[in-house]
Structure formats: structure tokens, C-alpha cells
């Protein structure tokens, strides 16, 4: 399977105190663990992203606990009020323990 | 033509027996099917899922607090867009701490839990989910003052998203 590829949209600039919208997506099959292999009839083991988190300058501002009912290529959008320039770090935790992450910078004036 | 010929070679008695057995099996299936459906819709599983995240907390009617943005009809149950927004000032003193989402008719009712903080500005988030069939979506919002609100909305699903 291809390595999951995270994609994040964060504005490059914002005014102090502005509420910005962040959109994230990661390519991942989100195998629910309920599907059967059409040829062998065996259940395909569950493999999903079970946790997503967004950390802004060291503080966790948004996180999500996910279940198999989340679609493949999980997408999230949410808002953050920005007070200072800095970094957003996004992390996705896979069932197999892998962690995928992405960092975006923002300039706040 | 060959089909009718084949049918004629089967004796009338045999034919009647086969048809009767077939329809009996079909009837049994149609009787069994609803109970199987109810098994997945079992209130207990949904209750368990809710209990697991909010415990025995009293759930107040959240119809005026929580807005669920859902399509009325979802053509494809594999990706149903879902947006939630909660009426909250999102200050340190008064904000939404978390939102839990459930799909009552999925084999596993849990969908996701979102954890908010005052620095979100707006208590809004969106994602996409899978729905096995037409069913109710339930959202529970927990506030920083300890209160919890619940609301629900129905989505009609044309093609379920849990098959394989």
C-alpha cells in the first residue's frame, strides 16, 4: 500500500485574533475490519487512522478519536483562533502504530 | 425456449414441491431479515456506545444548541459529508470540550469524537463518514460547565457504505 500522504490547508498569513479555517486530508483506506475478501471470504483486518491531532505552538487545539465509520481518506475541517506566528503540527496515528505528521507555518501580524 | 422445455421435463408434482419449498425459504428469510436488522439497531449497542463516552451524565435536548449539517439523502453511504456547529462563545470559561458522533444504524455505532479547546474560536468541524443504511445520526456535545446536550438527524442512504 502506498504510504499515506497528508495534505493540509492553512492560510500563510492572518491577522492577530483572526479565526482561520484549517482543512486536512490524508490518503488512507480506513479498512473497517468488517469487509470480507471477495475471493477467500475471510475478514480483512481493521486498519484505520484512530487518532488525529492538531498542535499549535505546543498546545493541542483540536483532536479527534476516529472509528471505522469514518470514510476512506479521512478529511477534517475546523477553526483555530490565531494570536501569534508559529507552527501547526498535524499528526495522524495508524492502527499499526505508525504516526504520520505534517507541519505548516503561519505568519500572524 | 429451452427453459420451458426443461421445465416440462420436471413432473408437475416435483415442480409444485420445489416452488413451495422455495417460497417457504423466502418467507423464512424475510421473517429473519427484520430481526437481523434490529440486532444491529439494538438500542443497547447505541446506549453502550453513548455510555462509554459520557457515562451516566444527563443528556439535555440540544436541538437549539447543536446544528448538524447533513444531506437529507446520501446517494453514496461510503462518504457522507457531516458538519457540526455548536452555539458557544468558546471562551476559557464557557466552551465546548468535546462532541461525540454516533450512527444508530451502523454495525458499530461509534463514528468519531472531536475534542475542542477555547482556541478554536468557533465550535465547528466537518468530516465524512460511512453509513450502512438510512438511519439517525446522533451528536452529543459536552460543555466546559459539565452539561451535555444531545440531538439527532436522519439521513436517507441510497447505497450503503459497509458492504464488501
Amino acid at each position: 500500500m502506498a504510504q499515506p500522504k497528508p495534505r493540509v490547508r492553512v492560510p500563510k498569513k492572518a491577522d492577530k485574533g483572526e479565526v482561520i479555517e484549517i482543512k486536512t486530508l490524508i490518503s488512507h483506506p480506513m479498512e473497517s475490519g468488517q469487509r470480507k475478501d471477495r475471493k477467500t471470504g475471510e475478514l480483512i483486518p481493521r486498519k484505520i487512522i484512530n487518532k488525529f491531532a492538531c498542535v499549535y505552538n505546543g498546545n493541542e487545539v483540536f483532536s479527534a478519536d476516529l472509528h471505522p465509520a469514518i470514510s476512506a481518506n479521512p478529511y477534517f475541517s475546523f477553526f483555530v483562533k490565531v494570536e501569534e506566528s508559529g507552527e501547526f503540527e498535524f499528526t495522524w496515528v495508524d492502527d499499526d502504530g505508525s504516526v504520520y505528521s505534517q507541519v505548516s507555518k503561519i505568519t500572524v501580524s | 425456449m429451452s427453459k420451458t422445455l426443461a421445465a416440462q421435463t420436471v413432473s408437475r408434482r416435483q415442480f409444485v414441491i420445489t416452488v413451495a419449498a422455495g417460497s417457504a425459504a423466502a418467507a423464512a428469510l424475510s421473517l429473519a431479515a427484520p430481526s437481523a436488522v434490529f440486532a444491529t439497531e439494538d438500542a443497547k449497542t447505541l446506549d453502550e456506545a453513548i455510555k462509554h463516552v459520557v457515562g451516566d451524565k444527563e443528556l439535555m435536548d440540544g436541538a437549539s444548541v447543536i446544528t448538524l449539517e447533513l444531506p437529507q439523502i446520501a446517494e453514496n453511504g461510503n462518504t457522507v459529508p457531516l458538519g457540526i456547529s455548536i452555539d458557544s462563545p468558546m471562551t476559557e470559561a464557557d466552551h465546548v470540550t468535546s462532541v461525540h458522533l454516533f450512527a444508530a444504524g451502523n454495525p458499530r455505532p461509534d463514528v468519531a469524537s472531536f475534542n475542542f479547546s477555547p482556541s478554536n474560536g468557533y465550535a465547528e468541524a466537518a468530516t465524512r463518514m460511512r453509513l450502512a443504511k438510512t438511519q439517525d445520526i446522533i451528536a452529543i456535545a459536552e460543555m466546559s460547565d459539565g452539561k451535555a446536550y444531545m440531538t439527532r438527524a436522519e439521513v436517507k442512504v441510497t447505497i450503503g457504505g459497509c458492504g464488501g
Side-chain angles (χ1 to χ4, degrees):
Chain A
M1 192 194 75
Q3 176 75 12
K5 188 180 167 199
R7 267 171 263 185
V8 172
R9 184 178 292 173
V10 179
K12 284 200 171 66
K13 289 178 195 168
D15 295 329
K16 190 174 157 61
E18 193 182 333
V19 177
I20 58 162
E21 186 179 22
I22 293 178
K23 292 180 175 177
T24 71
L25 186 108
I26 186 164
S27 58
H28 194 282
M30 297 291 277
E31 194 56 65
S32 70
Q34 307 211 21
R35 290 195 320 143
K36 282 179 182 164
D37 191 304
R38 275 182 204 276
K39 282 179 192 146
T40 64
E42 283 172 21
L43 275 182
I44 304 171
R46 178 184 129 151
K47 189 177 187 296
I48 65 164
I49 302 275
N50 57 48
K51 175 106 184 146
F52 165 74
C54 168
V55 173
Y56 171 46
N57 287 345
N59 299 314
E60 187 177 282
V61 289
F62 179 84
S63 71
D65 302 308
L66 312 178
H67 296 278
I70 295 293
S71 301
N73 305 331
Y75 158 86
F76 300 103
S77 79
F78 53 94
F79 292 89
V80 178
K81 194 174 181 181
V82 288
E83 299 288 354
E84 57 192 21
S85 301
E87 273 185 359
F88 284 99
E89 192 186 359
F90 304 90
T91 50
W92 293 260
V93 182
D94 201 320
D95 267 349
D96 65 9
S98 317
V99 177
Y100 317 110
S101 63
Q102 171 106 1
V103 174
S104 298
K105 288 188 166 66
I106 186 166
T107 310
V108 177
S109 49
Chain B
M1 277 308 280
S2 63
K3 213 172 186 181
T4 36
L5 277 176
Q8 278 165 353
T9 57
V10 178
S11 78
R12 188 185 154 86
R13 179 173 298 247
Q14 259 182 336
F15 179 74
V16 169
I17 290 167
T18 337
V19 169
S23 60
L29 261 180
S30 66
L31 279 178
S35 62
V37 168
F38 281 132
T40 61
E41 239 179 10
D42 199 344
K44 223 174 168 184
T45 26
L46 177 65
D47 284 351
E48 268 171 19
I50 291 176
K51 207 168 181 178
H52 185 71
V53 289
V54 290
D56 291 322
K57 215 176 252 189
E58 191 195 346
L59 298 170
M60 284 178 285
D61 181 18
S64 59
V65 182
I66 309 169
T67 312
L68 277 171
E69 288 160 43
L70 285 162
Q72 276 187 323
I73 297 170
E75 279 184 19
N76 181 357
N78 265 316
T79 52
V80 182
L82 158 74
I84 45 152
S85 68
I86 294 125
D87 183 15
S88 161
M90 291 305 271
T91 58
E92 204 60 54
D94 181 6
H95 61 269
V96 181
T97 54
S98 53
V99 174
H100 310 287
L101 298 160
F102 305 95
N106 270 8
R108 304 279 158 83
D110 279 309
V111 175
S113 296
F114 295 143
N115 306 307
F116 291 97
S117 68
S119 34
N120 285 122
Y122 306 134
E124 281 185 43
T127 186
R128 294 175 194 142
M129 64 180 168
R130 291 181 174 134
L131 295 178
K133 57 178 181 187
T134 298
Q135 55 182 287
D136 274 0
I137 308 306
I138 289 135
I140 295 175
E142 287 189 90
M143 307 296 182
S144 53
D145 60 6
K147 286 180 183 155
Y149 296 91
M150 179 166 90
T151 193
R152 60 172 68 214
E154 195 198 38
V155 179
K156 288 192 164 61
V157 177
T158 323
I159 307 166
C162 284

